[in-house]
Amino acid sequence: DQQVKQNSPSLSVQEGRISILNCDYTNSMFDYFLWYKKYPAEGPTFLISISSIKDKNEDGRFTVFLNKSAKHLSLHIVPSQPGDSAVYFCAASDQGGSEKLVFGKGTKLTVNP
Amino acid sequence: NAGVTQTPKFRILKIGQSMTLQCAQDMNHNYMYWYRQDPGMGLKLIYYSVGAGITDKGEVPNGYNVSRSTTEDFPLRLELAAPSQTSVYFCASSYGPPRYEQYFGPGTRLTVT
């Protein structure tokens, strides 16, 4: 039973446009969410996070939006750059006691020059 | 800081052989984790540790063992390797709650034939 779902295996966008990556979760106990970026042959790199007490968190070109009622979060990258081409993983945690992250399967983003 | 280091980068094992995947971190993190990533899948937690001398099972612990004798090191032991253990293994570390970001090593690609 997948608790964190990334339903789009891949996404292709033009350089300079917006990339929107989506993530859904089923466990209502999750209250902290993270996005990781992974290049081939490297480990995942932490990108941005959001707590359930917020609905938006911004860091430079990256913004994460959280819709708790829909159990949905999204990562916006504006403007997209070719160097953003990577696999993006959504992860969730239960701040109430779990040290563990549950990861989605990832979305491969390709930014075309 | 080297961050999280893993050795070896690649390894081919024969069925039934054993090996230890090494992981070390120099960030003085209390929490350490082992994940595996199969093709097209997210990261699945094998084992984790919240401090020296304390370990616990994750989602997919069968066929693996861990120990945590120091804060810095968290080796993963594979006994009697099976083809189902062919995967990419990632070690990660974090400060622990309330900081949920995990920092990953570069991974070990293991093939069991």
Side-chain angles (χ1 to χ4, degrees), chain A residues 37-40 81-88 108-112:
Chain A
K37 173 175 160 178
K38 185 182 178 306
Y39 293 118
Q81 299 173 354
D84 296 329
S85 297
V87 177
Y88 289 78
K108 183 176 181 180
L109 173 66
T110 302
V111 180
N112 301 303

Side-chain angles (χ1 to χ4, degrees), chain B residues 83-96:
Chain B
S84 60
Q85 293 178 304
T86 294
S87 190
V88 181
Y89 291 83
F90 292 103
C91 179
S93 69
S94 73
Y95 286 107

Side-chain angles (χ1 to χ4, degrees), chain A residues 36 43-44 46 89 95 99-100 104, chain B residues 31 33 37 42 45 100 102 105:
Chain A
Y36 281 82
F46 169 70
F89 291 98
Q95 283 187 320
E99 310 81 10
K100 302 187 286 286
Chain B
Y31 288 63
Y33 312 81
Q37 185 189 16
L45 184 65
Y100 288 86
Q102 295 180 15

Side-chain angles (χ1 to χ4, degrees), chain A residues 2 4-10 22-25 72 104-107:
Chain A
Q2 255 192 295
V4 177
K5 300 178 186 179
Q6 293 177 258
N7 292 320
S8 298
S10 62
N22 293 304
C23 178
D24 297 295
Y25 61 97
H72 176 84
K105 291 185 178 181
T107 296

Side-chain angles (χ1 to χ4, degrees), chain B residues 7-8 14 17 19 22 24 40 43-44 55 65 71 73-75 79-80 89 91 93 96 107 113:
Chain B
T7 54
K14 294 192 186 307
Q17 287 185 321
M19 75 164 295
Q22 301 292 344
L43 287 82
K44 295 196 174 180
T55 62
N65 273 303
T71 300
D73 300 297
F74 191 39
E79 304 281 2
L80 299 173
Y89 291 83
C91 179
S93 69
T113 62

Side-chain angles (χ1 to χ4, degrees), chain A residues 3 7-8 12-14 18-19 36 38 41 43 47 52 62-63 65 68 78 81 89 94 97 102 108:
Chain A
Q3 298 186 72
N7 292 320
S8 298
S12 184
V13 300
Q14 285 299 119
I18 184 171
S19 295
Y36 281 82
K38 185 182 178 306
L47 201 54
S52 61
F62 302 91
T63 303
F65 295 92
K68 292 185 289 293
V78 184
Q81 299 173 354
F89 291 98
D94 161 16
V102 178
K108 183 176 181 180

